[in-house]
Amino acid sequence: MSDDDDMPDAGPQAGPDMALARLILALRSQGVTEAPVLNAIETTPREIFTPDLFKDRAFEDSALPIACGQTISQPFIVGLMTQALQLEPRSRVLEIGTGSGYQTTILSKLARLVYTVERYRTLLREAEARFKTLGLTNVVTKFGDGGQGWPEQAPFDRIMVTAAAPGEPKALLSQLKPNGILVAPIGRGPVQSLRRYIGDGEGGFVAEALTDVRFVPLLDGVAKEL
Ligand code: SAH
């Protein structure tokens, strides 16, 4: 059954294509300007990552609730973090916090291989089903504590953390290539600092703060509940 009959006649401007076009324009005006990043967002159907209750808001520029008390990130932040990662077509990327798999899908369109780790089995299973539906062949998933990274697959060219780390993510930085790039929200409070670490080629890093963000926390261990 569809709810469409109950909707007021919103006119041609309110169609999903128009909502997507508006979203892309909004991202561009806020500084997400790289064409490959915008193209990856434009070709990723956010509604399939969004719970039924919020599907009509899939193309709003806001974070939305998903299962297990988690969230699918705001498209602008997804664009900003993806752009900050400076992906190359040959990049092997580690993502911590699969969640809905929306960010993973965007990374998979811009990199060679994406390794993604999630601490909720339910979220991981649902995300895996979406990757299958979308025909993604370059995503490798793992149920585990992403705070420990993925030592067996290290080192990585790029690492993206989509949950807030309490402090400098040392274990993850140790799994980055010497000239690699890591992007992560850092902080314990409700508002964190989005930081980018760029390897200096000699084992050190140059860190910079990009903007303030609000992420769910990076938690220790795997979730006991499903
Ligand atoms: N990138 C996601 C946003 C996910 S929200 C998306 O596009 O939908 C953050 C996710 O990080 C949640 O799913 C949460 O369960 C997960 N997470 C938190 N701590 C973690 C940890 N230690 N290891 C793996 N995943 C973790």
Side-chain angles (χ1 to χ4, degrees), residues 2 6 9 18 37 49 51 70 103 114 130 137 151 156 168 172 182:
S2 142
D6 301 324
D9 183 6
M18 195 57 82
V37 175
F49 299 89
Q70 305 303 312
Q103 172 75 73
V114 183
R130 293 179 183 121
T137 54
F156 299 95
E168 190 169 275
L172 296 174
L182 178 149

Side-chain angles (χ1 to χ4, degrees), residues 70-71 97 99-100 103 118-120 123 145-146 162 216 218-219:
Q70 305 303 312
T71 51
S100 68
Q103 172 75 73
E118 172 57 55
R119 68 187 290 279
Y120 277 99
L123 290 178
D145 178 0
T162 68
V216 297
L218 185 77
L219 299 173

Side-chain angles (χ1 to χ4, degrees), residues 17 20-21 23-24 27 35-49 59 102 105-110 134 136:
D17 290 351
L20 179 57
L23 176 66
I24 297 298
L27 265 51
V37 175
L38 288 169
N39 189 48
I41 294 175
E42 198 165 6
T43 58
T44 299
R46 193 167 183 251
E47 71 277 9
I48 76 160
F49 299 89
F59 294 101
Y102 177 64
T105 301
I106 287 164
L107 293 172
S108 82
K109 295 183 181 196
L110 298 165
L134 293 170
L136 306 185

